[in-house]
Amino acid sequence: MSMAGNLRKVTSLGRVGGLRKVARLTRRRPRVDLSHPARSPLGSSVVNCVTYRDGTREPGDGDVVDAVRRVRRSRDGFVWLGLHEPTDREFAGIAELFDLHPLAVEDAVEAHQRPKLERYGETLFAVFKTVCYVEHEKLTATSEVVNTGEIMVFVGEDFVITVRHGMHGSLGPLREDLEDRPDQLAKGPAAVLHAIADHVVDDYLSVTDSVQGDIDQVETDVFAPDGARTDPGRIYQLKRELLELKRAVMPLARPVEDLATRPIRVVPPEIQAYFRDVLDHLMRAKDQISAFDELLNSILQAHLAQVTVAQNEDMRKITAWAAVIAVPTMVCGMYGMNFDHMPELRWRFGYPLVIGVIAVACLSLHRGFRRNGWL
């Protein structure tokens, strides 16, 4: 029976005896390794189920019930169960098997949670926001810059359950990296929790470096000679995407600090030292995001000031040309009045004289405005 079928059996059983029956059925099939796909090709939310003992991956068929039974019988090693966007029904049997708190189960299934760290009895529940940078040829007012997802982690004495939401942030490469370091993996489920936290925070730093490139480009465009013509929507879009990144990074500081400093039963002291390094990287990402936010505010204010200056310059030019045009308008308006007795009205050189006066007056005004920078 496949892992998908096994999970359906688990969700429909309420007694341990029924779970053991499923375990006997599933041992007949070869193991299917589903470490990398975003979702199991078998149609199940189970991505992988692996047992580790002394930092080494145990051979097995990927059956959840059998893996848990073997680990708890020997009281050695732990099970790492990976899930991708499970439904309530798919997660119900797993929650019963691992004795997970209903509130944590609800958060894991519904997603859209704030980064946090909670303890339910002997189980630790952590929520991480994952981020990835969306590549784009040119930043526009509608460009997506940051894409977010979530990873929920249940950590117990002999198990780690990871629940991933979103199409990025695969833990397959992370699992392989840990398996190449058996000494670290031998430290237990807390080592997996640290690896996930470190992986998530490293992604934060990578995304902030990429976002900095977009901010630098916008800054260059704004302070270019024609910066007033820059689309302000690009700046607002960057601020909006930066807000998504901020929502992922800022709330995580307190949970990571608790993991690094507060005594937690499932996190041994030797692992807490690693969390202090994660906290240091997280604070760096947090500082970068705060600096980006302030910089974008400054860029936006500078752009608005440039637009105001450009508008003032346009108004000065319009006013200067209006003053130049006012001279012939005034003279022509005077001589357009239908009076019989007006100065020089019958003189042969009256018309050339008026045209000359108008030309001299207009040229004098134009020269004065040019000298003062109005034209």
Side-chain angles (χ1 to χ4, degrees):
M1 182 179 293
S2 65
M3 289 168 56
N6 174 38
L7 185 57
R8 288 193 293 269
K9 288 289 186 180
V10 170
T11 57
S12 65
L13 294 176
R15 295 189 298 272
V16 176
L19 297 177
R20 290 176 178 174
K21 181 178 180 180
V22 175
R24 287 194 298 270
L25 293 174
T26 54
R27 282 198 295 269
R28 300 174 185 175
R29 297 291 185 184
R31 181 177 60 85
V32 179
D33 190 355
L34 303 174
S35 299
H36 294 290
R39 192 168 179 86
S40 169
L42 302 178
S44 166
S45 63
V46 176
V47 177
N48 209 334
C49 178
V50 180
T51 303
Y52 295 95
R53 184 171 285 107
D54 296 328
T56 304
R57 180 171 180 159
E58 290 282 301
D61 58 3
D63 170 54
V64 180
V65 181
D66 184 58
V68 173
R69 182 176 58 82
R70 286 187 283 110
V71 166
R72 291 180 176 175
R73 176 188 297 173
S74 63
R75 297 183 179 275
D76 186 21
F78 66 93
V79 176
W80 183 353
L81 174 63
L83 305 172
H84 181 262
E85 297 182 357
T87 63
D88 289 326
R89 182 180 179 184
E90 289 174 326
F91 205 67
I94 294 174
E96 183 177 358
L97 179 63
F98 291 95
D99 193 24
L100 304 179
H101 196 278
L103 291 177
V105 171
E106 181 181 358
D107 289 345
V109 174
E110 294 297 331
H112 305 294
Q113 302 297 316
R114 192 171 185 265
K116 60 183 178 179
L117 179 70
E118 295 179 348
R119 282 177 285 186
Y120 296 97
E122 301 298 323
T123 303
L124 195 66
F125 177 64
V127 177
F128 300 96
K129 282 278 190 180
T130 59
V131 298
C132 74
Y133 180 77
V134 180
E135 296 290 343
H136 46 269
E137 294 183 1
K138 183 179 180 181
L139 179 67
T140 65
T142 58
S143 296
E144 185 180 10
V145 179
V146 177
N147 190 11
T148 60
E150 293 178 46
I151 296 179
M152 286 80 165
V153 186
F154 295 88
V155 181
E157 292 289 342
D158 54 8
F159 67 88
V160 176
I161 302 174
T162 56
V163 182
R164 186 165 58 85
H165 291 265
M167 298 308 297
H168 69 274
S170 173
L171 298 178
L174 173 66
R175 185 191 295 269
E176 293 179 355
D177 181 65
L178 275 174
E179 290 176 354
D180 290 337
R181 296 182 294 153
D183 294 341
Q184 183 72 8
L185 197 55
K187 296 176 182 178
V192 177
L193 179 62
H194 160 260
I196 294 173
D198 188 53
H199 172 71
V200 169
V201 173
D202 284 346
D203 284 345
Y204 293 164
L205 293 174
S206 176
V207 170
T208 54
D209 290 341
S210 299
V211 170
Q212 184 173 8
D214 288 327
I215 296 176
D216 291 343
Q217 182 61 50
V218 168
E219 185 178 21
T220 301
D221 294 342
V222 167
F223 289 100
D226 58 344
R229 300 182 181 275
T230 301
D231 182 9
R234 299 170 61 197
I235 306 176
Y236 280 110
Q237 180 65 13
L238 264 181
K239 284 185 65 66
R240 190 181 300 113
E241 294 297 308
L242 189 65
L243 181 61
E244 286 292 321
L245 186 58
K246 194 173 183 178
R247 288 172 179 169
V249 175
M250 299 300 183
L252 189 59
R254 182 63 181 273
V256 175
E257 184 178 2
D258 290 344
L259 289 169
T261 58
R262 297 182 61 183
I264 301 175
R265 181 172 180 179
V266 296
V267 181
E270 60 268 23
I271 296 296
Q272 285 188 321
Y274 291 95
F275 277 112
R276 286 194 287 270
D277 180 68
V278 174
L279 180 61
D280 180 64
H281 291 173
L282 180 63
M283 297 308 295
R284 175 187 163 192
K286 185 178 177 180
D287 292 342
Q288 282 184 318
I289 293 172
S290 298
F292 290 164
D293 195 25
E294 295 178 3
L295 181 58
L296 282 175
N297 287 333
S298 300
I299 293 174
L300 182 59
Q301 292 175 0
H303 176 65
L304 294 177
Q306 284 183 328
V307 172
T308 302
V309 170
Q311 290 175 343
N312 290 337
E313 290 179 353
D314 292 340
M315 289 302 299
R316 287 193 301 177
K317 291 180 179 180
I318 293 172
T319 303
W321 282 113
V324 172
I325 296 173
V327 173
T329 302
M330 180 186 65
V331 175
C332 294
M334 290 178 59
Y335 277 90
M337 295 185 292
N338 297 322
F339 292 106
D340 293 333
H341 304 287
M342 294 183 69
E344 314 302 339
L345 192 61
R346 302 295 180 181
W347 186 38
R348 177 182 297 180
F349 301 104
Y351 178 74
L353 177 63
V354 171
I355 295 298
V357 171
I358 292 175
V360 171
C362 290
L363 289 174
S364 299
L365 286 174
H366 185 272
R367 182 178 180 183
F369 286 135
R370 286 291 297 271
R371 184 169 57 249
N372 292 327
W374 283 47
L375 289 174

